[in-house]
Amino acid sequence: MKYIDLTYTITENMPVYPGTEKPVLERLEIDGYRETLFHMFSHTGTHMDAPYHVFRDGRKLDDYSIGEFTGRAVVIDVPCGVKVIEPDMLKAAEGFEFIILRTGWGAKWGTDEYFDGFPVLSLSAAEYAAGLGLKGIGLDSISVDEVGNNTLPVHRVLLGSGMLIIENLAGLEQLPSEVNFTALPLKYADADGCSVRAFASF
């Protein structure tokens, strides 16, 4: 079995969603032992969105069972130049538990280009995915919606179905077309989202 880490390392100078504060990692040494005090938003780096992120009565990450964070995933390649992902591009997802969209956008991580022009799902594609009974959808860009679209229509469709969204996945170029996928968030109360350790095995 081969394991591939799909997670960006959290650092103080890492890319974050425009308008969000970067994480602060305060290194402490007390009485000969070391600890780190984290100050960061719950949607930092490779992270997971829960329905509670956009719905006041939505399900929270701490309401999910551990088994809902892992499952069989199809890796779907989004052709270069495609800006809007339509339902026909998601047909291969039928029968799987997760979709991983490999857009190639991760190559822009760490540049200003990362935040603009990445492929997003059309509303009809989001509705199609929401009807497949999936546990979640992951991708190698910062959002399933365009940056600046604060109504988050694609988020609302996907999260409204109970699906999880995993954003800022790294290293997708290393994956075959089908993998076992896992993304594990911290278990904290009333979790709207959380940075995750995501990985694939095959």
Side-chain angles (χ1 to χ4, degrees), residues 20-152:
T20 302
E21 293 178 19
K22 290 182 180 290
V24 176
L25 283 64
E26 184 179 353
R27 314 294 184 180
L28 304 172
E29 185 163 343
I30 306 169
D31 295 332
Y33 62 86
R34 297 174 189 83
E35 291 196 56
T36 302
L37 177 62
F38 290 87
H39 177 82
M40 65 184 197
F41 282 86
S42 53
H43 298 259
T44 295
T46 305
H47 69 273
M48 178 181 288
D49 296 350
Y52 188 56
H53 181 42
V54 295
F55 297 109
R56 193 174 295 274
D57 60 349
R59 200 173 174 201
K60 303 163 185 175
L61 287 183
D62 45 315
D63 295 326
Y64 284 75
S65 69
I66 197 74
E68 292 175 276
F69 300 131
T70 188
R72 195 68 181 156
V74 60
V75 181
I76 296 177
D77 286 304
V78 178
C80 182
V82 169
K83 296 301 181 187
V84 180
I85 299 165
E86 297 293 355
D88 63 302
M89 300 177 67
L90 305 180
K91 295 293 185 182
E94 295 184 11
F96 286 86
E97 295 169 291
F98 286 89
I99 297 173
I100 297 176
L101 295 175
R102 180 164 53 196
T103 71
W105 213 255
K108 301 178 187 290
W109 177 260
T111 72
D112 291 341
E113 293 176 331
Y114 187 73
F115 302 102
D116 186 45
F118 51 85
V120 296
L121 278 73
S122 68
L123 283 181
S124 58
E127 289 163 358
Y128 175 77
L132 292 176
L134 297 163
K135 292 180 180 180
I137 185 168
L139 64 164
D140 55 359
S141 60
I142 199 162
S143 180
V144 293
D145 283 293
E146 294 178 348
V147 169
N149 188 344
N150 294 328
T151 61
L152 301 177

Side-chain angles (χ1 to χ4, degrees), residues 8-27:
Y8 286 111
T9 300
I10 295 173
T11 66
E12 292 189 319
N13 61 354
M14 73 186 307
V16 294
Y17 193 88
T20 302
E21 293 178 19
K22 290 182 180 290
V24 176
L25 283 64
E26 184 179 353
R27 314 294 184 180

